[in-house]
Amino acid sequence: MLPEFIVSPKVTAGDKVAVVSLSFAAPGAFPAVHEVAMRRLRDEFGVEPVEYPTATAWRSRAWRRRCRGRHRHTGAA
């Protein structure tokens, strides 16, 4: 039996939206691009972005632990 999917209501101005990074904390690596995106969410869509620590945790201890032995890091920040 297939699961029944629940459709969330559309986001409207004034809503809070989560900003997360599930695998690569690109905002921590490219903060200028991230700031433009946050500004656009506020100004163009009228929503309030709520940034979770994982979104900007570039090279956090957990990230290093997950990557240990899998990839050779270049050292670029």
Side-chain angles (χ1 to χ4, degrees), residues 16 38 53 62 66:
K16 291 182 179 180
M38 295 299 99
R66 281 195 312 270

Side-chain angles (χ1 to χ4, degrees), residues 11 27 55 57 63 68 74:
V11 175
W63 181 83
R68 191 176 297 136
T74 62

Side-chain angles (χ1 to χ4, degrees), residues 4-69:
E4 185 177 327
F5 290 101
I6 299 171
V7 178
S8 300
K10 291 183 179 181
V11 175
T12 59
D15 287 347
K16 291 182 179 180
V17 295
V19 177
V20 299
S21 181
L22 301 177
S23 62
F24 172 62
F30 307 103
V33 175
H34 178 69
E35 286 306 314
V36 169
M38 295 299 99
R39 193 173 326 116
R40 289 186 70 191
L41 284 171
R42 285 186 209 95
D43 298 346
E44 295 181 28
F45 296 99
V47 297
E48 180 184 340
V50 178
E51 297 180 60
Y52 281 74
T54 56
T56 56
W58 176 244
R59 289 194 189 176
S60 68
R61 187 177 307 138
W63 181 83
R64 289 191 307 264
R65 191 170 36 247
R66 281 195 312 270
C67 292
R68 191 176 297 136

